Amino acid sequence: MPNEEKILQLIAKAEQEHTLKKEELTCLLASSQAEEPLAAAADHVRQKFVGDGVHLRGLIEFSNICRQDCMYCGLRRDNQRLERYRLGADEIVGLAEKAKGDGYHTVVLQSGEDMYFTAERLAGIIRRIKALDLAVTLSVGERSFDEYRLWREAGADRYLLRIETTDREVYEKFDPGMSYDNRVRCLRDLRTLGYEVGTGTLVGLPGQTPVSIAEDILFYQKLDADMVGIGPLIPNPDTPLGSAPKGDFHLTRRMVSLLRLLLPEANIPATTAMETMVPHGRELILASGANVVMPNVTEGDSRRKYALYPGKICVADTPAQCRRCMGGRIKAMGRFIAEDKGFRKHRRDLSI
Ligand code: 5AD
Ligand code: FES
């Protein structure tokens, strides 16, 4: 069978059945020819299952202090070149209030693994934000079941924790001192506690292959992930991976499209890293299967200091500018900003 025909057949199968075998996924991930037809099929499936609404999540980066030492991340504890900051409870709640005033329905509280924020302390902040009638997503790394439980009881709705890669060896090499099993334990605990669970891949870790990325996608399907956020590695010169090659934008785009085909009702963001790499990258990704954007609603100097990687977009803008800018861009694509809290839809509730 000619290659092109085989590719189109596989894509048609994924579009109809939402399943592919590991070898089939690998073949599509590795094929640049597959990219445009994959994006077109994913855009169609996105429209059919989750519609034209784009969900905005306001990202509050409340501390860049981290106890971990991931080899790619600017927040790693050994990076002495980063000016550290931590926002107070009132500042965090104030940013959430402003986000609400700017029309956001969800805030994402993200930080390094900063143990100053004990379970109790963060629970207090969550309760105050929930009183504003916002959905609350947490993204603060690995904690115990009991800590996750307290936050859930305080009202947290969702939790983001990327697995980064399902290749255990690659994971443990670039996340030294961390265990792959504990990461999976965290995702299971979050699931058990009834959070909407978001996870995802860092594309471009040295040693990662199309086969391991195919395995990531199957892992997300098995976990029944509610959200999957992926982005390419952007080497940070202040980290040990500073001179690694950057992640492949096109491979990442094909992965987004395949995620939409295999997890049709999931929430899939067009991530900031995609746009840092390619101007208007987020629009391209929104047209390739994605339905979520997470504009930064942190204010002032903290925006610059939350430096996971260099060249991060919008660090000089205000939250209101970002919101206007993204709103205009979404409308120009013929899409609209969704006005609900954007919980994950389930196929059983859709008339498909
Ligand atoms: N390039 C791209 N993404 C990165 N992250 C951390 N460092 C980098 C980098 N250098 C991603 C990780 C993490 C998320 C919050 O940011 O995947 O889970
Ligand atoms: Fe921040 Fe456009 S999204 S300025």
Side-chain angles (χ1 to χ4, degrees):
M1 193 171 9
N3 208 19
E4 198 178 335
E5 206 176 302
K6 181 180 163 203
I7 284 170
L8 294 179
Q9 271 186 17
L10 286 180
I11 295 174
K13 176 180 152 192
E15 191 175 340
Q16 291 306 313
E17 298 171 14
H18 313 295
T19 57
L20 284 174
K21 297 197 190 76
K22 183 163 51 169
E23 300 67 40
E24 297 170 331
L25 277 167
T26 308
C27 161
L28 293 173
L29 282 164
S31 160
S32 49
Q33 265 183 61
E35 187 155 326
E36 293 306 331
L38 266 178
D43 198 43
H44 185 225
V45 169
R46 186 270 309 151
Q47 215 280 333
K48 183 165 150 194
F49 282 81
V50 295
D52 285 334
V54 175
H55 297 283
L56 296 186
R57 323 282 202 204
L59 182 64
I60 300 176
E61 298 162 334
F62 66 91
S63 164
N64 68 356
I65 296 169
C66 191
R67 65 173 166 168
Q68 303 291 5
D69 214 21
C70 305
M71 308 272 267
Y72 44 82
C73 182
L75 308 193
R76 67 198 304 269
R77 65 165 186 265
D78 279 359
N79 180 10
Q80 315 229 322
R81 302 181 55 154
L82 188 68
E83 263 178 80
R84 303 284 171 168
Y85 74 90
R86 173 187 285 143
L87 303 185
D90 291 347
E91 285 175 291
I92 300 170
V93 176
L95 288 172
E97 260 165 14
K98 276 202 182 154
K100 165 110 185 169
D102 284 336
Y104 288 92
H105 303 289
T106 296
V107 289
V108 183
L109 302 181
Q110 191 176 75
S111 70
E113 291 197 10
D114 180 355
M115 303 317 280
Y116 167 85
F117 288 97
T118 58
E120 271 304 339
R121 224 174 227 146
L122 194 54
I125 295 169
I126 295 165
R127 283 187 210 105
R128 287 173 65 188
I129 298 180
K130 283 306 291 180
L132 303 170
D133 188 29
L134 285 164
V136 171
T137 304
L138 299 177
S139 177
V140 303
E142 297 183 10
R143 296 281 185 120
S144 67
F145 182 87
D146 286 341
E147 290 172 290
Y148 288 150
R149 185 174 54 199
L150 188 69
W151 296 337
R152 180 86 184 115
E153 285 165 3
D157 302 281
R158 311 187 177 114
Y159 204 102
L160 306 182
L161 184 75
R162 285 188 181 170
I163 190 81
E164 317 291 359
T165 172
T166 55
D167 182 323
R168 173 189 297 272
E169 239 171 77
V170 172
Y171 179 85
E172 291 184 353
K173 181 163 171 200
F174 294 111
D175 298 278
M178 297 172 78
S179 113
Y180 180 77
D181 289 335
N182 193 50
R183 198 118 181 129
V184 174
R185 189 271 306 159
C186 289
L187 290 170
R188 295 228 169 90
D189 284 355
L190 293 163
R191 185 75 308 154
T192 306
L193 287 163
Y195 283 92
E196 281 201 347
V197 177
T199 182
T201 299
L202 181 53
V203 179
L205 286 169
Q208 210 179 30
T209 60
V211 178
S212 87
I213 293 180
E215 286 169 349
D216 294 355
I217 298 175
L218 295 174
F219 174 81
Y220 302 143
Q221 244 190 341
K222 204 163 143 204
L223 182 74
D224 190 25
D226 301 297
M227 173 163 169
V228 186
I230 67 171
L233 173 75
I234 301 174
N236 183 329
D238 296 336
T239 67
L241 277 183
S243 45
K246 51 184 181 188
D248 181 339
F249 179 89
H250 294 282
L251 172 59
T252 313
R253 181 175 175 225
R254 294 195 290 275
M255 186 179 183
V256 166
S257 299
L258 283 164
L259 284 166
R260 173 59 67 204
L261 295 178
L262 266 61
L263 291 103
E265 345 80 295
N267 284 320
I268 301 179
T271 57
T272 309
M274 299 298 271
E275 183 142 337
T276 296
M277 208 169 251
V278 170
H280 291 266
R282 281 181 297 182
E283 275 114 315
L284 185 61
I285 298 301
L286 282 174
S288 310
N291 69 324
V292 172
V293 178
M294 297 167 58
N296 189 342
V297 299
T298 321
E299 290 185 346
D301 255 10
S302 312
R303 276 172 97 88
R304 174 180 58 77
K305 291 185 194 158
Y306 201 85
L308 301 169
Y309 48 76
K312 210 167 124 197
I313 52 165
C314 305
V315 288
D317 296 299
T318 65
Q321 281 169 334
C322 265
R323 165 77 204 215
R324 255 198 311 279
C325 165
M326 248 0 272
R329 289 163 61 175
I330 287 163
K331 281 206 192 89
M333 295 180 72
R335 307 265 285 271
F336 63 91
I337 296 180
E339 286 303 336
D340 58 324
K341 291 201 174 74
F343 286 101
R344 179 254 180 107
K345 295 187 169 66
H346 286 271
R347 235 174 292 181
R348 58 176 182 270
D349 304 324
L350 299 168
S351 50
I352 292 169

